[in-house]
C-alpha cells in the first residue's frame, strides 16, 4: 500500500533566499508545533545513530529559534538549549552541504565562542542543514567532539549524516502535516459550530450509548436551561401529555436504527409550550456504534394555524354537505308532480350524491386514510362492490390527488359507473369492470374495461353524459378520453397530465 511521504527540499541546494528572511523563517518554524517533539523517540534514535556513525560523544537535533537554539533530541549533552549567538548550527543551516569544523580553536568564526572556550569545549563540529520543503532553514543535525579531528569525517560518515538529516526532516514535515490536519479539523468544527448556532432550529447529537453530548446555541435561547444528557432527561422539556408517546417512538427508532420524525410540545424558558417537529437520524445501521443527530424545529405557529383552518374547513364541509342535501331535496320536490321527469331527476340526484361522496373524500371530516385516486374510486364504486371477486376491481400505481382534481374525477367515474349499471357490465350480476392506474413520468393513464355484460354499441349522437365526460377530462384536467365499443365490452382510456392530479 502506498504511504504518505512528505516532500523534501532538494539535497545539495541552498535554502530559498526568501525563506532566509528572519520573519519569513520564523513564521514557517511556528507552523511545526515543535514543542510536542521534545525528546521525541524517533528523533532521539536518529541522533544516537548519528553519534555512533561518526564516533562522536555528542549528537543533537538542533532547531534555531529567534533567540536560542533548542535541542529537540540528542545524546551526550545535559542542557536543552543555548543562546543563538553562540550557535554553530545557525551557520550550518544556511549551507547546501555539511558544515565541518575540524578544530574550532583555530577557526576564525568560532575560536572565541563561549561553547569552545568553555563547556562543552567544542573542538570538532559537523552539521547537516535541516531545510523545510519550501526552503526555510530550521537548524541542523550535528555531531560534536571535544577533541579536534584533522581528518574530519570519511565519505561514508558524511553521506550517512546527510541521509540522517533528511530522515529528521521527514519526521518534522510529518509533524507539521499533523499540526495542519488538527488545525483544519478545528477550523472545520468551529465553522460547523458557527453555522449550527446561526440557524433558527435546535440541533443536537448523541453518542452510541445515547448520551446527548452537543446542542447548538438555539437550545439555550429557547429553553434557558442546560440541555439533557440522557433520554430520560428530556422529560422535563416535553409536555406531560406528549411524553409517553414521544419516548416510545424514540426508543423504537434507536432499537431499529431508523430515522425518527415526531411532533410534541417543548417547554420554553418562560414556561410556555410550543409545538416542535422533532427529527433524528442515525449515522449507520448498527445500534452499538451509530451516532445520532437531530433537530427540533418550531412549528407552533403553523400547527395552531392548521388547527384554526381545520375548524374552518370542518364548518365549510358541514355547510357544503347541507347544500347538497338541499339540492337533492329541491330535485325531489320539483319532480314529485312531474312523472315524466322522474328518470332525469333520479339521475341528477345520483350525480349530486356522487359529488357529495367526492366532497367527503377531500374534506377533513372524512374518516378516510387513503388519499389516493384508488381511495376515491373505491368510494365512488362502492355500491357495485370492489376488490377480488367483486364487480369492480381496481389495480395499479398509487396516485396522490390534489383537492381540485377530485370533483371532475368524481363526475367522470360516476358517469361511467352509471352508464355501466344501465347498459353495460354492471347491469348484470356476472359483469366485471377492471380499472387500471398507470403512473408515468409525466402522465397518468387510467383504463376502464368492462367484461361479461351485454353487447354494447356507440351512441348515435353525443348526449349530455358524453359531453360532461369530455368536458371534465379535457377542460378541467387538461387530459384526453377515448371510448372503444367492442363486442366483449366497453373500454375507456383516460390520459391525464400528472400535474393536473397531484399539484
Amino acid at each position: 500500500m502506498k504511504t504518505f511521504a512528505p516532500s523534501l527540499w532538494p539535497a545539495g541546494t541552498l535554502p530559498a533566499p526568501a525563506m532566509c528572511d528572519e520573519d519569513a523563517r520564523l513564521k514557517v518554524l511556528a507552523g511545526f508545533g515543535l514543542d510536542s517533539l521534545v525528546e521525541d523517540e524517533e528523533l532521539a534514535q536518529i541522533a544516537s545513530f548519528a553519534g555512533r556513525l561518526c564516533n562522536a560523544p555528542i549528537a543533537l537535533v538542533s532547531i534555531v529559534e529567534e533567540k536560542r537554539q533548542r535541542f529537540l533530541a540528542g545524546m551526550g549533552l545535559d542542557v536543552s538549549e543555548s543562546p543563538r549567538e553562540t550557535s554553530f548550527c545557525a551557520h550550518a543551516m544556511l549551507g547546501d552541504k555539511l558544515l565541518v569544523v575540524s578544530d574550532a580553536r583555530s577557526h576564525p568564526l568560532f575560536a572565541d565562542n563561549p561553547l569552545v572556550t568553555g563547556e562543552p569545549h567544542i573542538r570538532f563540529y559537523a552539521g547537516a542543514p535541516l531545510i523545510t520543503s519550501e526552503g526555510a532553514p530550521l537548524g541542523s543535525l550535528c555531531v560534536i567532539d571535544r577533541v579536534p579531528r584533522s581528518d574530519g569525517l570519511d565519505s561514508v560518515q558524511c553521506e550517512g549524516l546527510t541521509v540522517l538529516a533528511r530522515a529528521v526532516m521527514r519526521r518534522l514535515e510529518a509533524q507539521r502535516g499533523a499540526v495542519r490536519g488538527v488545525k483544519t479539523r478545528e477550523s472545520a468544527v468551529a465553522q460547523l459550530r458557527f453555522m449550527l448556532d446561526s440557524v433558527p432550529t435546535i440541533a443536537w447529537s448523541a453518542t452510541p450509548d445515547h448520551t446527548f453530548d452537543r446542542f447548538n446555541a438555539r437550545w439555550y435561547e429557547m429553553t434557558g436551561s442546560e440541555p439533557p444528557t440522557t433520554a430520560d432527561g428530556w422529560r422535563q422539556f416535553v409536555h406531560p401529555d406528549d411524553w409517553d408517546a414521544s419516548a416510545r417512538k424514540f426508543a423504537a427508532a434507536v432499537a431499529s436504527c431508523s430515522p425518527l420524525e415526531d411532533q410534541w410540545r417543548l417547554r420554553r424558558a418562560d414556561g410556555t409550550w410550543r409545538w416542535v417537529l422533532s427529527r433524528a437520524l442515525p449515522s449507520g445501521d448498527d445500534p452499538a456504534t451509530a451516532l445520532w443527530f437531530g433537530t427540533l424545529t418550531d412549528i407552533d405557529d403553523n400547527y395552531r394555524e392548521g388547527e384554526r383552518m381545520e375548524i374552518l374547513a370542518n364548518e365549510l364541509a358541514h355547510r357544503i354537505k347541507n347544500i347538497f342535501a338541499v339540492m337533492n331535496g329541491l330535485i325531489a320536490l320539483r319532480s314529485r308532480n312531474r312523472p315524466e321527469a322522474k328518470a332525469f331527476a333520479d339521475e341528477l340526484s345520483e350525480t349530486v350524491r356522487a359529488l357529495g361522496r367526492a366532497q367527503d373524500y377531500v374534506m377533513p371530516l372524512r374518516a378516510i386514510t387513503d388519499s389516493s385516486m384508488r381511495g376515491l374510486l373505491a368510494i365512488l364504486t362502492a355500491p357495485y362492490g370492489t376488490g377480488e371477486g367483486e364487480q369492480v376491481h381496481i389495480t395499479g400505481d398509487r396516485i396522490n390527488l390534489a383537492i381540485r382534481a377530485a370533483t371532475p374525477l368524481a363526475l367522470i367515474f360516476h358517469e361511467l359507473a352509471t352508464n355501466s349499471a344501465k347498459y353495460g357490465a354492471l347491469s348484470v350480476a356476472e359483469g366485471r369492470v377492471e380499472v387500471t392506474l398507470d403512473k408515468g413520468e409525466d402522465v397518468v393513464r387510467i383504463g376502464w374495461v368492462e367484461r361479461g355484460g351485454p353487447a354494447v354499441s356507440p351512441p348515435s349522437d353525443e348526449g349530455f353524459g358524453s359531453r360532461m365526460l369530455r368536458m371534465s377530462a379535457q377542460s378541467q384536467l387538461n387530459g384526453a378520453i377515448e371510448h372503444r365499443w367492442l363486442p366483449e365490452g366497453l373500454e375507456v382510456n383516460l390520459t391525464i397530465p400528472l400535474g393536473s392530479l397531484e399539484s
Side-chain angles (χ1 to χ4, degrees):
M1 184 176 67
K2 187 176 180 179
T3 57
F4 169 76
S7 59
L8 298 178
W9 188 249
T13 304
L14 288 169
M19 292 293 101
C20 293
D21 174 79
E22 189 63 5
D23 289 339
R25 191 188 75 85
L26 291 175
K27 184 176 180 180
V28 172
L29 177 61
F32 278 82
L34 295 180
D35 287 346
S36 61
L37 287 181
V38 175
E39 301 299 333
D40 178 75
E41 182 178 356
E42 184 175 349
L43 293 180
Q45 290 176 352
I46 292 173
S48 177
F49 183 72
R52 296 197 304 274
L53 175 68
C54 298
N55 298 317
I58 300 172
L60 304 168
V61 176
S62 175
I63 300 298
V64 179
E65 299 180 345
E66 182 179 10
K67 295 182 179 180
R68 65 174 179 173
Q69 67 173 352
R70 180 161 52 149
F71 310 130
L72 296 182
M75 54 168 281
L77 201 63
D78 293 334
V79 298
S80 60
E81 62 180 68
S82 64
R84 177 172 176 170
E85 58 265 22
T86 64
S87 172
F88 282 60
C89 297
H91 297 275
M93 70 180 185
L94 299 176
D96 57 354
K97 56 183 179 296
L98 293 178
L99 171 63
V100 179
V101 179
S102 298
D103 188 351
R105 291 293 298 271
S106 61
H107 196 284
L109 289 177
F110 304 113
D112 297 327
N113 191 301
L115 301 180
V116 175
T117 59
E119 288 292 337
H121 298 287
I122 297 174
R123 297 295 297 275
F124 172 78
Y125 172 91
L130 302 176
I131 303 174
T132 69
S133 57
E134 61 268 69
L138 294 186
S140 77
L141 170 64
C142 65
V143 294
I144 296 170
D145 203 342
R146 294 184 175 89
V147 297
R149 296 189 185 186
S150 58
D151 295 332
L153 299 176
D154 61 31
S155 60
V156 173
Q157 291 171 326
C158 289
E159 181 181 0
L161 195 59
T162 301
V163 170
L164 291 173
R166 294 179 70 78
V168 170
M169 279 312 306
R170 287 190 184 89
R171 178 70 183 99
L172 298 185
E173 291 288 0
Q175 168 65 13
R176 177 162 64 164
V179 170
R180 285 174 174 170
V182 170
K183 288 182 178 179
T184 299
R185 288 192 296 273
E186 289 177 346
S187 176
V189 169
Q191 291 178 10
L192 179 60
R193 170 65 64 179
F194 177 79
M195 180 185 72
L196 290 176
D197 284 344
S198 67
V199 299
T201 297
I202 292 174
W204 56 264
S205 64
T207 60
D209 65 353
H210 316 136
T211 297
F212 293 83
D213 57 348
R214 294 187 184 279
F215 287 77
N216 68 342
R218 184 62 174 158
W219 170 270
Y220 300 93
E221 294 172 8
M222 287 192 68
T223 68
S225 302
E226 287 298 316
T229 58
T230 64
D232 192 64
W234 283 83
R235 185 186 295 268
Q236 61 179 311
F237 299 104
V238 180
H239 195 283
D241 293 344
D242 305 331
W243 168 253
D244 289 339
S246 176
R248 283 195 301 270
K249 287 181 181 180
F250 182 73
V254 167
S256 61
C257 239
S258 57
L260 167 71
E261 184 169 309
D262 194 10
Q263 294 182 18
W264 42 268
R265 283 162 287 183
L266 175 71
R267 181 176 60 79
R268 289 173 54 89
D270 60 4
T272 60
W273 300 92
R274 290 187 67 86
W275 284 97
V276 295
L277 174 63
S278 172
R279 289 193 174 103
L281 286 173
S283 62
D285 55 9
D286 184 356
T289 60
L291 301 172
W292 284 84
F293 303 91
T295 58
L296 300 177
T297 304
D298 189 318
I299 59 169
D300 194 80
D301 293 339
N302 291 338
Y303 189 93
R304 298 188 188 283
E305 178 64 15
E307 286 184 325
R308 190 184 71 81
M309 293 301 295
E310 184 176 358
I311 293 173
L312 180 61
N314 287 342
E315 178 62 24
L316 180 61
H318 278 299
R319 291 178 183 271
I320 292 175
K321 286 175 70 68
N322 289 339
I323 290 173
F324 284 137
V326 169
M327 289 174 62
N328 271 324
L330 290 173
I331 293 170
L333 181 64
R334 294 293 185 182
S335 63
R336 183 175 302 166
N337 297 321
R338 294 188 175 96
E340 72 279 6
K342 184 178 186 305
F344 175 75
D346 290 344
E347 184 176 339
L348 185 58
S349 293
E350 281 299 317
T351 301
V352 171
R353 278 191 282 272
L355 291 175
R357 289 195 293 272
Q359 178 68 22
D360 287 342
Y361 175 81
V362 300
M363 295 304 287
L365 283 176
R366 73 190 192 282
I368 299 171
T369 58
D370 187 354
S371 60
S372 67
M373 182 182 291
R374 184 180 295 189
L376 176 61
L377 291 176
I379 292 174
L380 296 173
T381 58
Y384 312 101
T386 59
E388 293 288 345
E390 302 294 343
Q391 282 194 280
V392 180
H393 188 209
I394 305 168
T395 61
D397 300 325
R398 178 181 177 84
I399 302 165
N400 295 321
L401 285 185
I403 291 177
R404 66 183 181 86
T407 297
L409 283 173
L411 290 173
I412 290 172
F413 286 103
H414 170 72
E415 184 67 19
L416 290 174
T418 299
N419 287 337
S420 182
K422 289 180 179 179
Y423 314 112
L426 297 181
S427 66
V428 295
E430 61 272 18
R432 297 288 183 271
V433 175
E434 294 287 337
V435 182
T436 57
L437 308 176
D438 180 15
K439 180 179 179 180
E441 184 175 349
D442 299 313
V443 298
V444 171
R445 295 177 177 83
I446 306 170
W448 174 283
V449 177
E450 299 187 21
R451 294 291 183 266
V456 296
S457 60
S460 57
D461 57 7
E462 186 180 53
F464 173 76
S466 298
R467 289 196 300 273
M468 185 178 67
L469 281 175
R470 180 167 48 78
M471 180 187 68
S472 298
Q474 295 177 354
S475 301
Q476 296 184 266
L477 296 174
N478 299 314
I481 186 168
E482 176 189 8
H483 293 74
R484 299 175 64 200
W485 284 270
L486 303 176
E488 57 268 29
L490 173 67
E491 293 184 2
V492 179
N493 292 316
L494 273 166
T495 303
I496 303 173
L498 184 61
S500 296
L501 298 177
E502 292 192 340
S503 63

